[in-house]
Amino acid sequence: MSRLRDRLRFSSRTLLAMFFVGYFVVAAGWALATPYNGAADEMPHLIRAAGVVRGQIAPAPVDAVSGTGAYQTVPKSLVRPKCWQQQPSVPASCDHFNHDDRTPVRTPTTAGRYNPAYYAIVGLPLLIWPSMKGLLLARLIDAALVAGLLTLAFSAVLRWFTNRAGVAAVVLMTTPTVLSLAGAVNPSSVEMAAGILLFAALIPLAHGKLAAEPRMVHYAGIASLVLLTVRAAGPLWLAAGAFALLIPNRWAHIRELLRMRTMRIWLGALAAAGVASLAWTMSMRTLALMYIDPLSPPFTYKQALEVVVLQQWGTYLQQMVAAVSWLDVPVPTYVFAVWLVALGGLLMPALVVGSLRDRYRIVIMVVIAWIVPTITDPANANLHGFPTQGRYLLPLFVGAPLLAAEILGREGVLTAARSRTMAGWIAFVVMPVVHLTVLAATMVRWQSGVSPDPMRPHFNPFNGVWHPEFGSVVPFVAVVLGLVAIAFASWAATNPSSARGDAAAETVEMPSVRAALSVA
């Protein structure tokens, strides 16, 4: 059987189908496990989506919620009071609201000013079923969008990462934060997936690895279009990523890019989309943040800056991994340690062996991602608190590990065998530990609440006073099966005998598990 397994071959289309199914099933598992309004700010986004599909595209930007937002008129079944959110010890069983009341109500939402493009897509089921059924279908649409963008990212790295190290980087950066929000109604999930796709395509364009690959231009164009439309900060991350990768480059190469007809068409389309997005943001005052109760005593700028540097910088990284529920899940420390070790295994060697230009590109992406909230949050702390979360920064930060993987392959540090080793450890060890631990901890929080005694925490994700609509076993098993599919596809994609993925019929030989996990 082992010999037969070693001889298994998969076409590139089959591999990509496995990646899509794997990520969709993981996100679907999160969608099934999550209670109503179980992900951060899901209800405001849900109300916005229900309003958009009912024709309320551009509501008046008024002081609807603490100085921001707008009003939408939606069925009452979608508007529920909070009873457990941001109260860690309270399980989701307290939500007894009527799911079937279709009475139209005018309700405020903090997402009322946001660009309607995303909401018009995910909100379609809510037009027919403004209930938990419609919400589950809306979540599955979001899951499909995220899985599609991630599959394109894998298509990109399979084509230009000859040592397949990019597979490991994409798998590592598709964290529980990304996939838990992919199982919810929240545009951050699509934005993060678009960031991964953007750098998977931009890095080969910046390094001149075109090889008659207009497909990379299409991939970068799709990612850029998403970043320009789904969230107001997206254009900033797009500009920063392009600056880091394309500006410190040979002008001859940039002119070569601009001579491509496909590139010129996409630049024209993105310019139009960018103008439209900017016009929407300015006219709707989308960047207006929600006011909070004044800090007492008020922070000086220096005090607020110290909070950001000493506390928030580390929190950003943690939230990139596990910003789940309403940030009220006590995730075991080893989860972050395992993920950071894998991340450091990419970034640190790349900074050592890369050229000065390589180092610049990595550093500039990290610095811009961190410096933006370091400037903005302290300046407005007494009005808005510290609103930045790690998931907001991930669309730019993800470029650093992807570029690091490319550098390590280009400089010969990650040979084909070592790339297989890295991909094997990340797919078969890091990913299950991180994803399943975060899922179990989150399900326990929803079903039982956080234990008041830290020495005797709840630990059974299949027990509790509240259970998802399809039970607790189904979503957990779905996530496990999805992770297996992703790991299997990652394992197959790192075979050294596979050439670049130019042809759809390309075959990839399946290596053994021992080879995938062996130390090179």
Side-chain angles (χ1 to χ4, degrees), residues 7 40 102 109 164 230 259 297 324 334 336 407 409 417 425 428 436 450 461 466 477 517:
R7 294 179 180 275
R102 307 297 173 88
T109 169
R164 301 296 196 253
V230 295
R259 281 196 294 268
V324 291
Y334 69 79
F336 305 113
I407 293 169
W425 277 106
F428 289 99
L436 293 181
V450 176
W466 177 85
V477 170
L517 293 180

Side-chain angles (χ1 to χ4, degrees), residues 461-473:
F462 308 116
N463 193 18
V465 296
W466 177 85
H467 290 280
E469 189 168 344
F470 294 94
S472 301
V473 175

Side-chain angles (χ1 to χ4, degrees), residues 438-460:
V438 173
L439 174 66
T442 309
M443 291 178 66
V444 167
R445 183 268 169 270
W446 289 329
Q447 295 171 189
S448 303
V450 176
S451 172
D453 184 357
M455 302 304 295
R456 301 182 63 184
H458 304 308
F459 62 91
N460 188 351

Side-chain angles (χ1 to χ4, degrees), residues 157-498:
V157 298
L158 288 175
R159 285 174 175 271
W160 66 268
F161 266 104
T162 55
N163 62 1
R164 301 296 196 253
V167 172
V170 173
V171 171
L172 179 66
M173 295 309 298
T174 310
T175 63
T177 293
V178 177
L179 296 180
S180 65
L181 286 176
V185 176
N186 191 314
S188 281
S189 60
V190 177
E191 182 186 41
M192 289 184 285
I196 294 173
L197 173 59
L198 176 71
F199 287 102
L202 265 189
I203 290 172
L205 291 175
H207 282 274
K209 296 184 178 181
L210 294 177
E213 282 281 5
R215 181 175 306 196
M216 292 300 169
V217 180
H218 291 308
Y219 289 169
I222 292 170
S224 300
L225 187 61
V226 173
L227 288 172
L228 286 173
T229 54
V230 295
R231 293 189 72 250
L236 173 61
W237 305 138
L238 174 61
F243 173 77
L245 291 178
L246 297 177
I247 296 303
N249 215 322
R250 301 186 309 274
W251 284 109
H253 175 57
I254 293 177
R255 287 194 295 269
E256 179 185 354
L257 291 175
L258 294 177
R259 281 196 294 268
M260 296 179 65
R261 183 171 180 270
T262 305
M263 177 68 77
R264 294 196 302 271
I265 292 173
W266 266 113
L267 287 176
L270 293 176
V275 170
S277 177
L278 179 62
W280 178 275
T281 298
M282 299 299 292
S283 63
M284 295 294 290
R285 303 196 299 277
T286 305
L287 293 175
L289 298 175
M290 185 170 63
Y291 294 125
I292 64 167
D293 295 332
L295 298 176
S296 182
F299 279 15
T300 65
Y301 182 86
K302 180 181 178 181
Q303 290 172 328
L305 181 62
E306 290 175 351
V307 169
V308 171
V309 173
L310 299 179
Q311 297 181 21
Q312 296 300 99
W313 280 10
T315 301
Y316 296 153
L317 272 176
Q318 292 183 358
Q319 290 175 342
M320 288 182 188
V321 182
V324 291
S325 187
W326 284 76
L327 305 182
D328 53 5
V329 178
V331 177
T333 304
Y334 69 79
V335 168
F336 305 113
V338 168
W339 186 82
L340 284 173
V341 167
L343 179 67
L346 284 171
L347 291 180
M348 293 300 103
L351 288 172
V352 172
V353 304
S355 66
L356 181 61
R357 183 178 298 173
D358 291 329
R359 296 182 193 126
Y360 162 82
R361 287 170 166 165
I362 291 177
V363 169
I364 200 67
M365 285 185 281
V366 176
V367 167
I368 292 178
W370 257 248
I371 202 67
V372 170
T374 303
I375 294 173
T376 58
D377 279 15
N380 299 283
N382 292 312
L383 291 176
H384 309 298
F386 302 94
T388 300
Q389 296 182 27
R391 60 188 171 99
Y392 303 154
L393 311 179
L394 191 143
L396 176 60
F397 180 82
V398 70
L402 269 168
L403 179 57
E406 191 277 336
I407 293 169
L408 294 179
R410 173 168 31 99
E411 297 297 331
V413 176
L414 278 182
T415 62
R418 289 170 180 168
S419 296
R420 292 199 310 278
T421 301
M422 174 173 284
W425 277 106
I426 289 176
F428 289 99
V429 179
V430 175
M431 191 169 66
V433 168
V434 171
H435 284 266
L436 293 181
T437 301
V438 173
L439 174 66
T442 309
M443 291 178 66
V444 167
R445 183 268 169 270
W446 289 329
Q447 295 171 189
S448 303
V450 176
S451 172
D453 184 357
M455 302 304 295
R456 301 182 63 184
H458 304 308
F459 62 91
N460 188 351
F462 308 116
N463 193 18
V465 296
W466 177 85
H467 290 280
E469 189 168 344
F470 294 94
S472 301
V473 175
V474 172
F476 196 89
V477 170
V479 172
V480 170
L481 293 176
L483 292 175
V484 169
I486 296 166
F488 198 70
S490 302
W491 179 33
T494 54
N495 186 275
S497 64
S498 62

Side-chain angles (χ1 to χ4, degrees), residues 498-515:
S498 62
R500 292 174 67 252
D502 308 87
E506 175 199 8
T507 58
V508 182
E509 183 181 348
M510 176 65 67
S512 65
V513 175
R514 181 177 297 177

